[in-house]
Amino acid sequence: MSKSILLATLACSLVQGQQFDSTEIKQVIEESKLTCSSSVRLQNVNNLYFLFSNSMGYGGGSGQQIVTCHNQPYLNGELWTFKEQDLSDQQLSPSELDQKTCLTGKVLRCGDTIRLEHMETAKNLHSHEVKSPISSQNEVSGYGDDGEGDSGDNWKIECLDQTTNLPLKGEQEVDGKTQFQ
């Protein structure tokens, strides 16, 4: 099953009581490289809704943790951490395993396959063939315990050219202004 994400990232932490110029914050975000173990807020570039989850489960479908979107800024449940892809179903040599390991600080590149772990619940962003009770499309849920899961947690970073909205070729570094598909 092929999955992709069409989201722009927004990540920023403010020290309580300090005032920051929004232009200054935006510039820092846009220049920052996204790395393994980075925690980010993910925002849909079309409707400006943020990816959100909490510990509640679906009442139907898989019964797994609910993942949805909302348009209210700064709610708990919006942070997602980049982790290495689930490799449990692959037979890899030590050198292949080293290439796929997502060590803290390793810069993410277009074309990388990753997992997104919900910071608050440690569940992975997951997709599978179960139909959503609301949209009847494939359900997206939170799955796994403390980051453990399966290949349904893997997502490929496909980057878009912000001018043409076409997929970018090559393995460019991902930063705070990168749009994903």
Side-chain angles (χ1 to χ4, degrees), residues 1 9-10 17 22 25 30 33 35 44 62 65 74-75 86-87 89 101 107 113 123 130 133 160 172-173:
M1 171 179 18
T9 59
L10 214 215
S22 62
I25 293 169
E30 289 179 351
K33 300 296 181 201
T35 63
N44 183 294
S62 69
Q65 180 175 303
Y74 310 114
L75 288 180
D86 180 82
L87 301 168
D89 63 349
T101 300
V107 175
T113 300
K123 301 280 188 192
V130 175
L160 297 177
Q172 299 170 340
E173 292 182 342

Side-chain angles (χ1 to χ4, degrees):
M1 171 179 18
S2 175
K3 303 177 298 188
S4 57
I5 307 171
L6 177 57
L7 301 163
T9 59
L10 214 215
C12 116
S13 59
L14 301 177
V15 178
Q16 190 172 11
Q18 287 187 319
Q19 297 294 318
F20 292 91
D21 178 344
S22 62
T23 306
E24 180 181 47
I25 293 169
K26 184 177 179 185
Q27 181 179 0
V28 168
I29 291 169
E30 289 179 351
E31 292 172 359
S32 297
K33 300 296 181 201
L34 294 182
T35 63
C36 296
S37 301
S38 291
S39 292
V40 297
R41 294 173 70 213
L42 297 167
Q43 184 179 37
N44 183 294
V45 295
N46 295 319
N47 62 23
L48 304 181
Y49 279 50
F50 295 95
L51 192 63
F52 172 82
S53 190
N54 59 30
S55 60
M56 292 176 49
Y58 286 109
S62 69
Q64 294 174 357
Q65 180 175 303
I66 294 172
V67 174
T68 187
C69 294
H70 69 85
N71 62 355
Q72 299 175 24
Y74 310 114
L75 288 180
N76 289 335
E78 295 179 335
L79 289 176
W80 299 84
T81 303
F82 289 105
K83 302 280 186 140
E84 66 193 36
Q85 66 182 302
D86 180 82
L87 301 168
S88 61
D89 63 349
Q90 297 182 28
Q91 298 291 328
L92 300 172
S93 70
S95 64
E96 290 172 318
L97 186 59
D98 283 346
Q99 290 178 340
K100 294 185 182 269
T101 300
C102 194
L103 298 174
T104 299
K106 179 181 175 186
V107 175
L108 297 171
R109 297 182 172 279
C110 302
D112 285 350
T113 300
I114 50 92
R115 281 181 298 145
L116 289 164
E117 181 181 294
H118 188 242
M119 184 178 246
E120 186 177 309
T121 63
K123 301 280 188 192
N124 299 317
L125 185 65
H126 183 81
S127 182
H128 45 217
E129 300 290 330
V130 175
K131 297 294 180 202
S132 164
I134 296 173
S135 70
S136 295
Q137 297 178 356
N138 285 356
E139 180 183 270
V140 175
S141 63
Y143 174 75
D145 293 310
D146 295 321
E148 296 298 320
D150 63 27
S151 62
D153 305 333
N154 293 343
W155 299 86
K156 184 175 182 178
I157 300 174
E158 295 179 2
C159 303
L160 297 177
D161 181 300
Q162 292 185 21
T163 309
T164 64
N165 214 26
L166 296 172
L168 290 172
K169 304 288 184 212
E171 296 182 356
Q172 299 170 340
E173 292 182 342
V174 177
D175 60 27
K177 62 181 179 269
T178 301
Q179 289 186 10
F180 303 106
Q181 170 172 302

